[in-house]
């Protein structure tokens, strides 16, 4: 009898992450070439990470309302969350850019750049969750759990 492969080792989920990651990395590269530096500060990476944080917050909240019995939510998390946003955001480049700013004699800019990116990114994640939550409320319940609880309340 052949053992069932764990979900994370199946080709379909791996393919979704691969496709999303390729598009995310391509989008990041394009934006990093289009957005100019602000003096010595490479703001493109900060902007990319903040956008990615917002998208992850929105996606997290939006997907939690989908019917867990269907693969749609799980596939969207893999394609857009792990794949696209994983390839799009780059906190390692943020660390490298911060180090370069320190090395080049811009310690104040380095500290502001790194702290502001993380703080604004956290706020962007929260904003994404808030907006997706409002959109979900406007649509009404979609999950079996929320429809069951609404029936019990009536």
């Amino acid at each position: 009898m052949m053992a069932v492969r764990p979900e994370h080792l199946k080709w379909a989920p791996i393919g979704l992450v691969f496709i999303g990651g390729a598009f995310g990395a391509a989008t990041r590269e394009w934006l990093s070439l289009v957005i100019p530096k602000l003096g010595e500060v490479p703001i493109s990476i900060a902007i990319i990470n903040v956008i990615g944080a917002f998208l992850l917050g929105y996606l997290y909240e939006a997907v939690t309302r989908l019917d867990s019995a269907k693969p749609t939510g799980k596939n969207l998390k893999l394609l857009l969350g792990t794949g696209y946003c994983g390839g799009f955001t780059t906190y390692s480049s943020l660390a490298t850019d911060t180090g370069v700013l320190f090395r080049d004699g811009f310690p104040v800019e380095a500290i502001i750049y790194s702290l502001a990116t993380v703080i604004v990114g956290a706020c962007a994640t929260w904003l994404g969750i808030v907006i997706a939550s409002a959109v979900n409320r406007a649509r009404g319940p979609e999950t079996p759990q929320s429809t069951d609880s609404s029936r019990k309340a009536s």
Side-chain angles (χ1 to χ4, degrees):
M1 184 174 199
M2 205 161 132
V4 176
R5 291 178 85 175
E7 194 64 30
H8 67 279
L9 295 178
K10 292 182 180 177
W11 287 111
I14 292 170
L16 287 172
V17 173
F18 177 81
I19 291 167
F23 279 99
T27 306
R28 173 178 32 118
E29 180 61 19
W30 174 74
L31 282 174
S32 68
L33 294 172
V34 171
I35 300 171
K37 283 185 173 186
L38 182 63
E40 292 298 318
V41 181
I43 61 167
S44 63
I45 297 302
I47 292 169
I48 287 165
N49 286 337
V50 169
I51 291 169
F54 172 83
L55 292 173
L56 280 170
Y58 188 94
L59 179 68
Y60 169 79
E61 178 60 28
V63 171
T64 59
R65 305 280 185 207
L66 296 177
D67 186 351
S68 61
K70 297 178 184 174
T72 307
K74 181 175 64 171
N75 289 340
L76 283 173
K77 284 180 190 176
L78 290 171
L79 178 68
L80 300 176
T82 306
Y84 185 83
C85 288
F88 182 63
T89 59
T90 174
Y91 284 87
S92 59
S93 290
L94 173 69
T96 301
D97 290 345
T98 301
V100 168
L101 286 168
F102 272 115
R103 182 198 67 199
D104 292 348
F106 299 100
V108 173
E109 290 85 345
I111 292 168
I112 292 170
Y113 173 70
S114 59
L115 286 177
T117 301
V118 172
I119 292 167
V120 174
C123 293
T125 302
W126 174 79
L127 183 62
I129 292 169
V130 167
I131 291 172
S133 182
V135 169
N136 282 335
R137 272 194 307 278
R139 281 193 200 145
E142 291 185 23
T143 62
Q145 295 85 13
S146 50
T147 54
D148 288 343
S149 62
S150 64
R151 278 190 221 137
K152 289 177 187 173
S154 30

PDB file of all heavy atoms in Angstrom, residues 21-60:
ATOM      1  N   GLY A  21       4.907  33.107  -6.823  1.00  0.00           N
ATOM      2  CA  GLY A  21       6.218  33.663  -6.481  1.00  0.00           C
ATOM      3  C   GLY A  21       6.920  34.280  -7.675  1.00  0.00           C
ATOM      4  O   GLY A  21       7.548  35.334  -7.562  1.00  0.00           O
ATOM      5  N   ALA A  22       6.800  33.637  -8.824  1.00  0.00           N
ATOM      6  CA  ALA A  22       7.429  34.177 -10.036  1.00  0.00           C
ATOM      7  C   ALA A  22       6.812  35.524 -10.404  1.00  0.00           C
ATOM      8  O   ALA A  22       7.534  36.490 -10.703  1.00  0.00           O
ATOM      9  CB  ALA A  22       7.279  33.189 -11.191  1.00  0.00           C
ATOM     10  N   PHE A  23       5.490  35.617 -10.357  1.00  0.00           N
ATOM     11  CA  PHE A  23       4.831  36.884 -10.673  1.00  0.00           C
ATOM     12  C   PHE A  23       5.112  37.946  -9.612  1.00  0.00           C
ATOM     13  O   PHE A  23       5.296  39.123  -9.929  1.00  0.00           O
ATOM     14  CB  PHE A  23       3.319  36.688 -10.855  1.00  0.00           C
ATOM     15  CG  PHE A  23       2.948  36.169 -12.205  1.00  0.00           C
ATOM     16  CD1 PHE A  23       2.696  34.817 -12.393  1.00  0.00           C
ATOM     17  CD2 PHE A  23       2.875  37.012 -13.295  1.00  0.00           C
ATOM     18  CE1 PHE A  23       2.363  34.322 -13.644  1.00  0.00           C
ATOM     19  CE2 PHE A  23       2.542  36.536 -14.548  1.00  0.00           C
ATOM     20  CZ  PHE A  23       2.287  35.177 -14.729  1.00  0.00           C
ATOM     21  N   GLY A  24       5.162  37.546  -8.334  1.00  0.00           N
ATOM     22  CA  GLY A  24       5.473  38.485  -7.265  1.00  0.00           C
ATOM     23  C   GLY A  24       6.876  39.051  -7.400  1.00  0.00           C
ATOM     24  O   GLY A  24       7.094  40.256  -7.267  1.00  0.00           O
ATOM     25  N   ALA A  25       7.849  38.184  -7.680  1.00  0.00           N
ATOM     26  CA  ALA A  25       9.233  38.641  -7.840  1.00  0.00           C
ATOM     27  C   ALA A  25       9.376  39.538  -9.068  1.00  0.00           C
ATOM     28  O   ALA A  25      10.111  40.536  -9.030  1.00  0.00           O
ATOM     29  CB  ALA A  25      10.177  37.445  -7.942  1.00  0.00           C
ATOM     30  N   ALA A  26       8.673  39.205 -10.137  1.00  0.00           N
ATOM     31  CA  ALA A  26       8.724  40.039 -11.343  1.00  0.00           C
ATOM     32  C   ALA A  26       8.120  41.416 -11.079  1.00  0.00           C
ATOM     33  O   ALA A  26       8.666  42.438 -11.518  1.00  0.00           O
ATOM     34  CB  ALA A  26       7.997  39.351 -12.492  1.00  0.00           C
ATOM     35  N   THR A  27       7.014  41.455 -10.347  1.00  0.00           N
ATOM     36  CA  THR A  27       6.386  42.736 -10.002  1.00  0.00           C
ATOM     37  C   THR A  27       7.318  43.567  -9.122  1.00  0.00           C
ATOM     38  O   THR A  27       7.472  44.773  -9.327  1.00  0.00           O
ATOM     39  CB  THR A  27       5.048  42.515  -9.272  1.00  0.00           C
ATOM     40  OG1 THR A  27       4.212  41.673 -10.062  1.00  0.00           O
ATOM     41  CG2 THR A  27       4.338  43.829  -9.000  1.00  0.00           C
ATOM     42  N   ARG A  28       7.957  42.917  -8.144  1.00  0.00           N
ATOM     43  CA  ARG A  28       8.902  43.627  -7.267  1.00  0.00           C
ATOM     44  C   ARG A  28      10.058  44.209  -8.069  1.00  0.00           C
ATOM     45  O   ARG A  28      10.433  45.359  -7.887  1.00  0.00           O
ATOM     46  CB  ARG A  28       9.463  42.686  -6.203  1.00  0.00           C
ATOM     47  CG  ARG A  28      10.564  43.325  -5.393  1.00  0.00           C
ATOM     48  CD  ARG A  28      11.095  42.417  -4.303  1.00  0.00           C
ATOM     49  NE  ARG A  28      11.035  41.026  -4.657  1.00  0.00           N
ATOM     50  CZ  ARG A  28      12.084  40.227  -4.769  1.00  0.00           C
ATOM     51  NH1 ARG A  28      13.298  40.681  -4.554  1.00  0.00           N
ATOM     52  NH2 ARG A  28      11.934  38.957  -5.080  1.00  0.00           N
ATOM     53  N   GLU A  29      10.606  43.431  -8.963  1.00  0.00           N
ATOM     54  CA  GLU A  29      11.738  43.914  -9.770  1.00  0.00           C
ATOM     55  C   GLU A  29      11.317  45.105 -10.619  1.00  0.00           C
ATOM     56  O   GLU A  29      12.025  46.106 -10.712  1.00  0.00           O
ATOM     57  CB  GLU A  29      12.279  42.785 -10.649  1.00  0.00           C
ATOM     58  CG  GLU A  29      13.450  43.184 -11.507  1.00  0.00           C
ATOM     59  CD  GLU A  29      14.673  43.639 -10.736  1.00  0.00           C
ATOM     60  OE1 GLU A  29      14.802  43.342  -9.536  1.00  0.00           O
ATOM     61  OE2 GLU A  29      15.532  44.315 -11.340  1.00  0.00           O
ATOM     62  N   TRP A  30      10.148  45.013 -11.241  1.00  0.00           N
ATOM     63  CA  TRP A  30       9.652  46.111 -12.079  1.00  0.00           C
ATOM     64  C   TRP A  30       9.493  47.380 -11.238  1.00  0.00           C
ATOM     65  O   TRP A  30       9.949  48.456 -11.631  1.00  0.00           O
ATOM     66  CB  TRP A  30       8.331  45.713 -12.734  1.00  0.00           C
ATOM     67  CG  TRP A  30       7.705  46.838 -13.486  1.00  0.00           C
ATOM     68  CD1 TRP A  30       8.103  47.357 -14.679  1.00  0.00           C
ATOM     69  CD2 TRP A  30       6.574  47.614 -13.065  1.00  0.00           C
ATOM     70  NE1 TRP A  30       7.282  48.405 -15.032  1.00  0.00           N
ATOM     71  CE2 TRP A  30       6.339  48.581 -14.064  1.00  0.00           C
ATOM     72  CE3 TRP A  30       5.743  47.565 -11.957  1.00  0.00           C
ATOM     73  CZ2 TRP A  30       5.304  49.496 -13.964  1.00  0.00           C
ATOM     74  CZ3 TRP A  30       4.708  48.475 -11.868  1.00  0.00           C
ATOM     75  CH2 TRP A  30       4.505  49.432 -12.871  1.00  0.00           C
ATOM     76  N   LEU A  31       8.841  47.251 -10.078  1.00  0.00           N
ATOM     77  CA  LEU A  31       8.640  48.429  -9.227  1.00  0.00           C
ATOM     78  C   LEU A  31       9.960  48.985  -8.707  1.00  0.00           C
ATOM     79  O   LEU A  31      10.126  50.203  -8.612  1.00  0.00           O
ATOM     80  CB  LEU A  31       7.727  48.092  -8.048  1.00  0.00           C
ATOM     81  CG  LEU A  31       6.241  48.016  -8.359  1.00  0.00           C
ATOM     82  CD1 LEU A  31       5.464  47.529  -7.142  1.00  0.00           C
ATOM     83  CD2 LEU A  31       5.709  49.364  -8.826  1.00  0.00           C
ATOM     84  N   SER A  32      10.905  48.124  -8.388  1.00  0.00           N
ATOM     85  CA  SER A  32      12.184  48.624  -7.873  1.00  0.00           C
ATOM     86  C   SER A  32      12.963  49.372  -8.946  1.00  0.00           C
ATOM     87  O   SER A  32      13.780  50.235  -8.634  1.00  0.00           O
ATOM     88  CB  SER A  32      13.024  47.485  -7.290  1.00  0.00           C
ATOM     89  OG  SER A  32      13.457  46.605  -8.295  1.00  0.00           O
ATOM     90  N   LEU A  33      12.691  49.078 -10.208  1.00  0.00           N
ATOM     91  CA  LEU A  33      13.329  49.814 -11.302  1.00  0.00           C
ATOM     92  C   LEU A  33      12.604  51.121 -11.622  1.00  0.00           C
ATOM     93  O   LEU A  33      13.216  52.078 -12.085  1.00  0.00           O
ATOM     94  CB  LEU A  33      13.394  48.941 -12.560  1.00  0.00           C
ATOM     95  CG  LEU A  33      14.291  47.706 -12.467  1.00  0.00           C
ATOM     96  CD1 LEU A  33      14.104  46.824 -13.697  1.00  0.00           C
ATOM     97  CD2 LEU A  33      15.741  48.099 -12.288  1.00  0.00           C
ATOM     98  N   VAL A  34      11.302  51.162 -11.361  1.00  0.00           N
ATOM     99  CA  VAL A  34      10.482  52.323 -11.716  1.00  0.00           C
ATOM    100  C   VAL A  34      10.509  53.403 -10.630  1.00  0.00           C
ATOM    101  O   VAL A  34      10.521  54.591 -10.933  1.00  0.00           O
ATOM    102  CB  VAL A  34       9.017  51.874 -11.984  1.00  0.00           C
ATOM    103  CG1 VAL A  34       8.089  53.055 -12.147  1.00  0.00           C
ATOM    104  CG2 VAL A  34       8.952  50.983 -13.203  1.00  0.00           C
ATOM    105  N   ILE A  35      10.548  53.002  -9.366  1.00  0.00           N
ATOM    106  CA  ILE A  35      10.490  53.959  -8.260  1.00  0.00           C
ATOM    107  C   ILE A  35      11.904  54.470  -7.971  1.00  0.00           C
ATOM    108  O   ILE A  35      12.781  53.683  -7.626  1.00  0.00           O
ATOM    109  CB  ILE A  35       9.884  53.308  -7.002  1.00  0.00           C
ATOM    110  CG1 ILE A  35       8.463  52.818  -7.296  1.00  0.00           C
ATOM    111  CG2 ILE A  35       9.887  54.295  -5.833  1.00  0.00           C
ATOM    112  CD1 ILE A  35       7.860  51.973  -6.190  1.00  0.00           C
ATOM    113  N   PRO A  36      12.118  55.774  -8.082  1.00  0.00           N
ATOM    114  CA  PRO A  36      13.475  56.322  -7.852  1.00  0.00           C
ATOM    115  C   PRO A  36      13.810  56.402  -6.364  1.00  0.00           C
ATOM    116  O   PRO A  36      12.923  56.364  -5.506  1.00  0.00           O
ATOM    117  CB  PRO A  36      13.383  57.724  -8.458  1.00  0.00           C
ATOM    118  CG  PRO A  36      11.947  58.089  -8.323  1.00  0.00           C
ATOM    119  CD  PRO A  36      11.163  56.809  -8.456  1.00  0.00           C
ATOM    120  N   LYS A  37      15.093  56.534  -6.067  1.00  0.00           N
ATOM    121  CA  LYS A  37      15.552  56.728  -4.689  1.00  0.00           C
ATOM    122  C   LYS A  37      15.105  58.101  -4.197  1.00  0.00           C
ATOM    123  O   LYS A  37      14.911  59.018  -4.988  1.00  0.00           O
ATOM    124  CB  LYS A  37      17.075  56.660  -4.616  1.00  0.00           C
ATOM    125  CG  LYS A  37      17.647  55.290  -4.693  1.00  0.00           C
ATOM    126  CD  LYS A  37      19.156  55.353  -4.473  1.00  0.00           C
ATOM    127  CE  LYS A  37      19.750  53.980  -4.369  1.00  0.00           C
ATOM    128  NZ  LYS A  37      21.171  54.036  -4.016  1.00  0.00           N
ATOM    129  N   LEU A  38      14.963  58.215  -2.902  1.00  0.00           N
ATOM    130  CA  LEU A  38      14.673  59.486  -2.261  1.00  0.00           C
ATOM    131  C   LEU A  38      15.969  59.935  -1.607  1.00  0.00           C
ATOM    132  O   LEU A  38      16.287  59.519  -0.499  1.00  0.00           O
ATOM    133  CB  LEU A  38      13.560  59.334  -1.225  1.00  0.00           C
ATOM    134  CG  LEU A  38      13.098  60.579  -0.504  1.00  0.00           C
ATOM    135  CD1 LEU A  38      12.501  61.581  -1.483  1.00  0.00           C
ATOM    136  CD2 LEU A  38      12.079  60.216   0.558  1.00  0.00           C
ATOM    137  N   GLY A  39      16.749  60.721  -2.339  1.00  0.00           N
ATOM    138  CA  GLY A  39      18.098  61.062  -1.883  1.00  0.00           C
ATOM    139  C   GLY A  39      18.953  59.811  -1.924  1.00  0.00           C
ATOM    140  O   GLY A  39      19.151  59.221  -2.968  1.00  0.00           O
ATOM    141  N   GLU A  40      19.425  59.380  -0.773  1.00  0.00           N
ATOM    142  CA  GLU A  40      20.223  58.155  -0.674  1.00  0.00           C
ATOM    143  C   GLU A  40      19.382  56.944  -0.283  1.00  0.00           C
ATOM    144  O   GLU A  40      19.879  55.824  -0.244  1.00  0.00           O
ATOM    145  CB  GLU A  40      21.341  58.348   0.360  1.00  0.00           C
ATOM    146  CG  GLU A  40      22.395  59.334  -0.060  1.00  0.00           C
ATOM    147  CD  GLU A  40      23.138  58.892  -1.316  1.00  0.00           C
ATOM    148  OE1 GLU A  40      23.467  57.709  -1.445  1.00  0.00           O
ATOM    149  OE2 GLU A  40      23.372  59.762  -2.184  1.00  0.00           O
ATOM    150  N   VAL A  41      18.116  57.171   0.038  1.00  0.00           N
ATOM    151  CA  VAL A  41      17.268  56.089   0.563  1.00  0.00           C
ATOM    152  C   VAL A  41      16.520  55.395  -0.578  1.00  0.00           C
ATOM    153  O   VAL A  41      15.760  56.024  -1.310  1.00  0.00           O
ATOM    154  CB  VAL A  41      16.260  56.647   1.598  1.00  0.00           C
ATOM    155  CG1 VAL A  41      15.400  55.536   2.161  1.00  0.00           C
ATOM    156  CG2 VAL A  41      16.990  57.384   2.703  1.00  0.00           C
ATOM    157  N   PRO A  42      16.713  54.077  -0.694  1.00  0.00           N
ATOM    158  CA  PRO A  42      16.020  53.305  -1.738  1.00  0.00           C
ATOM    159  C   PRO A  42      14.590  52.982  -1.303  1.00  0.00           C
ATOM    160  O   PRO A  42      14.301  51.888  -0.810  1.00  0.00           O
ATOM    161  CB  PRO A  42      16.873  52.042  -1.842  1.00  0.00           C
ATOM    162  CG  PRO A  42      17.460  51.880  -0.486  1.00  0.00           C
ATOM    163  CD  PRO A  42      17.639  53.265   0.072  1.00  0.00           C
ATOM    164  N   ILE A  43      13.690  53.928  -1.489  1.00  0.00           N
ATOM    165  CA  ILE A  43      12.328  53.780  -0.964  1.00  0.00           C
ATOM    166  C   ILE A  43      11.499  52.726  -1.678  1.00  0.00           C
ATOM    167  O   ILE A  43      10.458  52.322  -1.180  1.00  0.00           O
ATOM    168  CB  ILE A  43      11.573  55.123  -0.962  1.00  0.00           C
ATOM    169  CG1 ILE A  43      11.441  55.678  -2.369  1.00  0.00           C
ATOM    170  CG2 ILE A  43      12.211  56.100  -0.016  1.00  0.00           C
ATOM    171  CD1 ILE A  43      10.458  56.816  -2.482  1.00  0.00           C
ATOM    172  N   SER A  44      11.938  52.267  -2.841  1.00  0.00           N
ATOM    173  CA  SER A  44      11.133  51.280  -3.578  1.00  0.00           C
ATOM    174  C   SER A  44      10.906  50.022  -2.751  1.00  0.00           C
ATOM    175  O   SER A  44       9.793  49.495  -2.712  1.00  0.00           O
ATOM    176  CB  SER A  44      11.785  50.929  -4.909  1.00  0.00           C
ATOM    177  OG  SER A  44      13.050  50.314  -4.711  1.00  0.00           O
ATOM    178  N   ILE A  45      11.920  49.538  -2.065  1.00  0.00           N
ATOM    179  CA  ILE A  45      11.775  48.320  -1.264  1.00  0.00           C
ATOM    180  C   ILE A  45      10.817  48.560  -0.103  1.00  0.00           C
ATOM    181  O   ILE A  45       9.992  47.702   0.218  1.00  0.00           O
ATOM    182  CB  ILE A  45      13.151  47.814  -0.771  1.00  0.00           C
ATOM    183  CG1 ILE A  45      14.031  47.428  -1.963  1.00  0.00           C
ATOM    184  CG2 ILE A  45      13.000  46.649   0.196  1.00  0.00           C
ATOM    185  CD1 ILE A  45      13.461  46.360  -2.884  1.00  0.00           C
ATOM    186  N   ALA A  46      10.889  49.727   0.519  1.00  0.00           N
ATOM    187  CA  ALA A  46       9.969  50.056   1.605  1.00  0.00           C
ATOM    188  C   ALA A  46       8.531  50.097   1.088  1.00  0.00           C
ATOM    189  O   ALA A  46       7.625  49.534   1.715  1.00  0.00           O
ATOM    190  CB  ALA A  46      10.352  51.392   2.238  1.00  0.00           C
ATOM    191  N   ILE A  47       8.317  50.736  -0.052  1.00  0.00           N
ATOM    192  CA  ILE A  47       6.974  50.817  -0.639  1.00  0.00           C
ATOM    193  C   ILE A  47       6.462  49.426  -0.990  1.00  0.00           C
ATOM    194  O   ILE A  47       5.313  49.079  -0.707  1.00  0.00           O
ATOM    195  CB  ILE A  47       6.986  51.749  -1.870  1.00  0.00           C
ATOM    196  CG1 ILE A  47       7.224  53.195  -1.427  1.00  0.00           C
ATOM    197  CG2 ILE A  47       5.691  51.616  -2.668  1.00  0.00           C
ATOM    198  CD1 ILE A  47       7.516  54.156  -2.573  1.00  0.00           C
ATOM    199  N   ILE A  48       7.310  48.612  -1.580  1.00  0.00           N
ATOM    200  CA  ILE A  48       6.934  47.241  -1.955  1.00  0.00           C
ATOM    201  C   ILE A  48       6.536  46.449  -0.712  1.00  0.00           C
ATOM    202  O   ILE A  48       5.514  45.749  -0.705  1.00  0.00           O
ATOM    203  CB  ILE A  48       8.096  46.566  -2.711  1.00  0.00           C
ATOM    204  CG1 ILE A  48       8.207  47.165  -4.113  1.00  0.00           C
ATOM    205  CG2 ILE A  48       7.943  45.053  -2.749  1.00  0.00           C
ATOM    206  CD1 ILE A  48       9.513  46.866  -4.835  1.00  0.00           C
ATOM    207  N   ASN A  49       7.326  46.542   0.353  1.00  0.00           N
ATOM    208  CA  ASN A  49       7.016  45.790   1.561  1.00  0.00           C
ATOM    209  C   ASN A  49       5.728  46.255   2.228  1.00  0.00           C
ATOM    210  O   ASN A  49       4.974  45.446   2.763  1.00  0.00           O
ATOM    211  CB  ASN A  49       8.190  45.848   2.535  1.00  0.00           C
ATOM    212  CG  ASN A  49       9.342  44.979   2.079  1.00  0.00           C
ATOM    213  OD1 ASN A  49       9.168  44.029   1.321  1.00  0.00           O
ATOM    214  ND2 ASN A  49      10.532  45.296   2.540  1.00  0.00           N
ATOM    215  N   VAL A  50       5.462  47.542   2.190  1.00  0.00           N
ATOM    216  CA  VAL A  50       4.221  48.059   2.772  1.00  0.00           C
ATOM    217  C   VAL A  50       3.020  47.603   1.940  1.00  0.00           C
ATOM    218  O   VAL A  50       1.999  47.179   2.494  1.00  0.00           O
ATOM    219  CB  VAL A  50       4.277  49.596   2.910  1.00  0.00           C
ATOM    220  CG1 VAL A  50       2.913  50.176   3.251  1.00  0.00           C
ATOM    221  CG2 VAL A  50       5.309  49.990   3.964  1.00  0.00           C
ATOM    222  N   ILE A  51       3.126  47.654   0.628  1.00  0.00           N
ATOM    223  CA  ILE A  51       2.044  47.166  -0.234  1.00  0.00           C
ATOM    224  C   ILE A  51       1.816  45.678   0.021  1.00  0.00           C
ATOM    225  O   ILE A  51       0.679  45.215   0.151  1.00  0.00           O
ATOM    226  CB  ILE A  51       2.356  47.429  -1.728  1.00  0.00           C
ATOM    227  CG1 ILE A  51       2.320  48.922  -2.033  1.00  0.00           C
ATOM    228  CG2 ILE A  51       1.382  46.674  -2.629  1.00  0.00           C
ATOM    229  CD1 ILE A  51       2.869  49.288  -3.407  1.00  0.00           C
ATOM    230  N   GLY A  52       2.908  44.916   0.103  1.00  0.00           N
ATOM    231  CA  GLY A  52       2.800  43.484   0.373  1.00  0.00           C
ATOM    232  C   GLY A  52       2.152  43.196   1.716  1.00  0.00           C
ATOM    233  O   GLY A  52       1.347  42.272   1.851  1.00  0.00           O
ATOM    234  N   ALA A  53       2.479  43.987   2.726  1.00  0.00           N
ATOM    235  CA  ALA A  53       1.876  43.823   4.055  1.00  0.00           C
ATOM    236  C   ALA A  53       0.375  44.084   3.990  1.00  0.00           C
ATOM    237  O   ALA A  53      -0.424  43.340   4.577  1.00  0.00           O
ATOM    238  CB  ALA A  53       2.549  44.763   5.054  1.00  0.00           C
ATOM    239  N   PHE A  54      -0.026  45.124   3.266  1.00  0.00           N
ATOM    240  CA  PHE A  54      -1.454  45.410   3.095  1.00  0.00           C
ATOM    241  C   PHE A  54      -2.146  44.245   2.395  1.00  0.00           C
ATOM    242  O   PHE A  54      -3.206  43.785   2.825  1.00  0.00           O
ATOM    243  CB  PHE A  54      -1.658  46.699   2.289  1.00  0.00           C
ATOM    244  CG  PHE A  54      -3.102  46.938   1.934  1.00  0.00           C
ATOM    245  CD1 PHE A  54      -3.955  47.537   2.844  1.00  0.00           C
ATOM    246  CD2 PHE A  54      -3.601  46.540   0.703  1.00  0.00           C
ATOM    247  CE1 PHE A  54      -5.296  47.736   2.526  1.00  0.00           C
ATOM    248  CE2 PHE A  54      -4.933  46.737   0.385  1.00  0.00           C
ATOM    249  CZ  PHE A  54      -5.793  47.341   1.293  1.00  0.00           C
ATOM    250  N   LEU A  55      -1.556  43.763   1.303  1.00  0.00           N
ATOM    251  CA  LEU A  55      -2.154  42.655   0.557  1.00  0.00           C
ATOM    252  C   LEU A  55      -2.298  41.402   1.415  1.00  0.00           C
ATOM    253  O   LEU A  55      -3.326  40.715   1.352  1.00  0.00           O
ATOM    254  CB  LEU A  55      -1.324  42.339  -0.687  1.00  0.00           C
ATOM    255  CG  LEU A  55      -1.317  43.388  -1.799  1.00  0.00           C
ATOM    256  CD1 LEU A  55      -0.316  43.008  -2.887  1.00  0.00           C
ATOM    257  CD2 LEU A  55      -2.708  43.570  -2.370  1.00  0.00           C
ATOM    258  N   LEU A  56      -1.287  41.104   2.222  1.00  0.00           N
ATOM    259  CA  LEU A  56      -1.373  39.931   3.099  1.00  0.00           C
ATOM    260  C   LEU A  56      -2.467  40.097   4.148  1.00  0.00           C
ATOM    261  O   LEU A  56      -3.196  39.150   4.448  1.00  0.00           O
ATOM    262  CB  LEU A  56      -0.026  39.677   3.769  1.00  0.00           C
ATOM    263  CG  LEU A  56       0.990  38.960   2.902  1.00  0.00           C
ATOM    264  CD1 LEU A  56       2.363  38.981   3.561  1.00  0.00           C
ATOM    265  CD2 LEU A  56       0.560  37.530   2.630  1.00  0.00           C
ATOM    266  N   GLY A  57      -2.596  41.289   4.723  1.00  0.00           N
ATOM    267  CA  GLY A  57      -3.668  41.537   5.679  1.00  0.00           C
ATOM    268  C   GLY A  57      -5.034  41.387   5.044  1.00  0.00           C
ATOM    269  O   GLY A  57      -5.931  40.738   5.595  1.00  0.00           O
ATOM    270  N   TYR A  58      -5.189  41.961   3.866  1.00  0.00           N
ATOM    271  CA  TYR A  58      -6.463  41.863   3.144  1.00  0.00           C
ATOM    272  C   TYR A  58      -6.763  40.406   2.806  1.00  0.00           C
ATOM    273  O   TYR A  58      -7.873  39.914   3.039  1.00  0.00           O
ATOM    274  CB  TYR A  58      -6.420  42.712   1.872  1.00  0.00           C
ATOM    275  CG  TYR A  58      -7.757  42.797   1.185  1.00  0.00           C
ATOM    276  CD1 TYR A  58      -8.614  43.847   1.448  1.00  0.00           C
ATOM    277  CD2 TYR A  58      -8.179  41.807   0.304  1.00  0.00           C
ATOM    278  CE1 TYR A  58      -9.869  43.924   0.841  1.00  0.00           C
ATOM    279  CE2 TYR A  58      -9.421  41.861  -0.296  1.00  0.00           C
ATOM    280  CZ  TYR A  58     -10.263  42.921  -0.032  1.00  0.00           C
ATOM    281  OH  TYR A  58     -11.501  42.984  -0.618  1.00  0.00           O
ATOM    282  N   LEU A  59      -5.785  39.720   2.256  1.00  0.00           N
ATOM    283  CA  LEU A  59      -5.965  38.325   1.858  1.00  0.00           C
ATOM    284  C   LEU A  59      -6.308  37.456   3.061  1.00  0.00           C
ATOM    285  O   LEU A  59      -7.210  36.620   2.997  1.00  0.00           O
ATOM    286  CB  LEU A  59      -4.696  37.809   1.181  1.00  0.00           C
ATOM    287  CG  LEU A  59      -4.709  36.349   0.734  1.00  0.00           C
ATOM    288  CD1 LEU A  59      -5.704  36.157  -0.407  1.00  0.00           C
ATOM    289  CD2 LEU A  59      -3.325  35.916   0.309  1.00  0.00           C
ATOM    290  N   TYR A  60      -5.606  37.648   4.158  1.00  0.00           N
ATOM    291  CA  TYR A  60      -5.860  36.868   5.371  1.00  0.00           C
ATOM    292  C   TYR A  60      -7.329  36.975   5.776  1.00  0.00           C
ATOM    293  O   TYR A  60      -7.993  35.972   6.014  1.00  0.00           O
ATOM    294  CB  TYR A  60      -4.961  37.355   6.508  1.00  0.00           C
ATOM    295  CG  TYR A  60      -5.353  36.789   7.848  1.00  0.00           C
ATOM    296  CD1 TYR A  60      -4.996  35.497   8.209  1.00  0.00           C
ATOM    297  CD2 TYR A  60      -6.101  37.545   8.747  1.00  0.00           C
ATOM    298  CE1 TYR A  60      -5.375  34.966   9.421  1.00  0.00           C
ATOM    299  CE2 TYR A  60      -6.481  37.028   9.952  1.00  0.00           C
ATOM    300  CZ  TYR A  60      -6.119  35.736  10.301  1.00  0.00           C
ATOM    301  OH  TYR A  60      -6.507  35.228  11.511  1.00  0.00           O
TER     302      TYR A  60
END
